[in-house]
């Protein structure tokens, strides 16, 4: 008799980080803000390890198995045949809850081609942020340089660790809950203090950190062993003026549809994210591997084979393709994160 896979509620998964934060994650999950388990990042449904580490970052299922191994052992059931044909036995997705208790350093990520050449990886690290909360006096993010720069100029700032020049060259964008920012690979960026996001990204931990002093233990951790001169080859030093920024920043707070496509055009080649917001209604969701982050309220997740799961604020679920069409009902708001549609890759 074939046993079909069903959604699984996930515990918090918080590998150690170099920066402060975590109270917003603890509050969402209903834990004490002083609970040491709640660091600034919660890696949800993760088949990705931290750079250079064996298991830190991986999601462990309630059964004790690593999600990565469970997916590899039964990839078509977890991911669907079309996904496996395009992306193999990787989920193609990493989802994080990220609570910036301090400003993050100026950094960027490699493209697929660069990651293949220098890190022997099928995936680079394109990402996106869905702002789900803010606190403090001036929550903002820093996507892209305001004006086109030479790589030599950025290299000089990096050698000198000239933080004022680096940060001053970036766009500075105030944000509120409901805003989303798509960060293509290569785009320099930082997240400011007081910004709480659901982050989607390709399933790697390749961060090339220009501003490493006061954040990382050594410059080697900033360039991941390849040298800054090489790393900067994949940096986007083009200018992003206000008009160009509109192609990666969206404001979705006022959209009250039951399902809202959250991310900018073009991002669906890397991942997909929708906000599901129901008021006692029900919404059918197509079969797909997905990570579900429940932001508010409570409801019921039903699968086409009769599975029924009560979901509530602060809970996270991994949903396998094999669960089939699922239905979410109740008075509930959730973010549904998915890999790219197979035809997009």
């Amino acid at each position: 008799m074939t046993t079909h896979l069903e959604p699984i509620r996930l515990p918090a998964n918080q590998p150690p980080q170099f920066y402060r934060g975590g109270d917003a994650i603890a509050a969402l999950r209903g834990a004490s803000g002083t609970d040491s388990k709640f660091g600034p990042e919660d890696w949800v449904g993760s088949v990705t390890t931290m750079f250079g580490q064996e298991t830190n970052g991986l999601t462990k299922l309630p059964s004790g198995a690593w999600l990565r191994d469970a997916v590899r052992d039964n990839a078509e059931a977890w991911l669907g045949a079309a996904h496996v044909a395009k992306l193999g036995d990787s989920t193609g997705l990493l989802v994080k809850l990220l609570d910036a208790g301090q400003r993050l350093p100026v950094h960027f990520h490699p493209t697929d081609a660069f990651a293949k050449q220098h890190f022997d990886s099928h995936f680079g690290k394109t990402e996106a942020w869905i702002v789900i909360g803010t606190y403090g006096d001036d929550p903002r993010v820093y996507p892209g340089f305001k004006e086109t720069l030479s790589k030599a100029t950025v290299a000089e700032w990096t050698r000198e660790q000239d933080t004022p020049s680096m940060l001053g060259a970036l766009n500075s964008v105030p944000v509120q809950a409901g805003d989303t920012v798509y960060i293509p690979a290569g785009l320099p960026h930082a997240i400011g203090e007081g910004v709480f996001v659901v982050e989607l990204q390709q399933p790697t931990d390749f961060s090339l950190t220009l501003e490493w002093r006061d954040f990382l233990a050594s410059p080697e951790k900033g360039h991941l062993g390849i040298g800054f001169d090489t790393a900067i080859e994949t940096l986007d030093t083009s200018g992003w003026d206000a008009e160009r920024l509109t192609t990666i920043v969206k404001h979705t707070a006022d959209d009250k549809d039951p399902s809202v496509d959250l991310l900018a055009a073009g991002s669906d080649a890397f991942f997909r994210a929708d906000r599901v917001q129901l008021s006692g209604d029900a919404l059918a969701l197509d079969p797909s591997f997905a990570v579900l982050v429940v932001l508010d309220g409570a409801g019921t997740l039903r699968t086409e084979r009769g599975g029924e799961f009560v979901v509530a604020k602060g809970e996270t679920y991994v949903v396998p393709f094999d669960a089939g069409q699922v239905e979410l009902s109740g008075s509930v708001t959730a973010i549904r994160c998915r890999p790219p549609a197979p035809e997009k890759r």
Side-chain angles (χ1 to χ4, degrees):
M1 180 177 176
T2 302
T3 301
H4 293 287
L5 299 178
E6 293 279 27
I8 299 172
R9 184 160 68 91
L10 299 174
N13 171 37
Q14 299 185 263
Q17 302 296 332
F18 61 85
Y19 64 95
R20 298 188 301 274
D23 286 358
I25 298 174
L28 176 67
R29 285 197 176 273
S32 166
T34 59
D35 191 329
S36 62
K37 292 187 303 181
F38 286 87
E41 295 184 9
D42 187 342
W43 294 29
V44 186
S46 171
V47 299
T48 304
T49 62
M50 299 182 75
F51 183 80
Q53 300 197 27
E54 281 193 25
T55 58
N56 267 343
L58 294 176
T59 288
K60 182 171 282 189
L61 299 173
S63 66
W66 298 115
L67 174 63
R68 177 191 62 186
D69 297 340
V71 171
R72 287 176 177 174
D73 290 344
N74 198 4
E76 288 199 4
W78 274 99
L79 306 172
H83 176 111
V84 172
K86 287 282 188 170
L87 294 177
D89 61 7
S90 171
T91 64
L93 178 68
L94 174 58
V95 176
K96 297 177 183 176
L97 304 177
L98 188 156
D99 171 27
Q102 67 179 108
R103 181 183 63 79
L104 274 61
V106 178
H107 64 291
F108 63 104
H109 307 295
T111 62
D112 289 357
F114 189 92
K116 183 176 182 180
Q117 179 180 358
H118 294 282
F119 301 117
D120 192 29
S121 171
H122 179 72
F123 299 101
K125 192 181 172 187
T126 288
E127 67 183 35
W129 311 323
I130 301 165
V131 181
I132 59 173
T134 60
Y135 53 92
D137 295 332
D138 191 26
R140 58 183 56 238
V141 297
Y142 304 86
F145 291 129
K146 290 181 283 191
E147 299 178 352
T148 297
L149 300 170
S150 70
K151 285 185 165 56
T153 294
V154 179
E156 176 66 17
W157 291 344
T158 304
R159 282 192 297 271
E160 298 297 324
Q161 284 300 280
D162 185 351
T163 292
S165 292
M166 289 185 207
L167 198 63
L170 292 172
N171 286 291
S172 180
V173 180
V175 291
Q176 63 181 0
D179 291 344
T180 74
V181 187
Y182 170 47
I183 302 291
L187 190 74
H189 59 275
I191 298 176
E193 179 179 353
V195 180
F196 182 26
V197 303
V198 173
E199 181 179 58
L200 288 82
Q201 60 186 69
Q202 292 179 279
T204 70
D205 189 36
F206 302 139
S207 288
L208 299 165
T209 307
L210 298 173
E211 184 194 357
W212 61 266
R213 186 177 292 161
D214 298 328
F215 288 98
L216 305 179
S218 69
E220 287 74 27
K221 292 185 180 296
H223 58 62
L224 303 181
I226 63 175
F228 282 118
D229 287 344
T230 298
I232 285 175
E233 292 174 8
T234 195
L235 175 65
D236 176 6
T237 58
S238 67
W240 285 74
D241 61 17
E243 182 178 356
R244 193 178 181 198
L245 281 178
T246 64
T247 67
I248 60 173
V249 177
K250 286 183 71 173
H251 307 286
T252 73
D254 293 334
D255 193 333
K256 304 303 181 185
D257 288 345
S259 181
V260 178
D261 183 358
L262 292 173
L263 302 180
S267 62
D268 58 351
F270 300 95
F271 33 62
R272 293 168 286 172
D274 303 281
R275 183 174 63 241
V276 178
Q277 43 199 10
L278 305 174
S279 301
D281 304 318
L283 184 69
L285 306 171
D286 292 341
S288 177
F289 175 85
V291 170
L292 196 68
V293 180
V294 185
L295 301 183
D296 201 13
T300 302
L301 187 67
R302 295 181 176 86
T303 69
E304 66 180 40
R305 296 185 179 90
E308 189 169 301
F309 305 84
V310 175
V311 301
K313 177 181 177 179
E315 293 182 338
T316 53
Y317 277 80
V318 61
V319 182
F321 180 90
D322 197 44
Q325 179 173 284
V326 300
E327 181 187 83
L328 184 62
S329 62
S331 296
V332 62
T333 300
I335 305 293
R336 185 189 187 212
C337 308
R338 290 179 291 163
E343 63 271 16
K344 291 289 185 176
R345 291 293 287 177

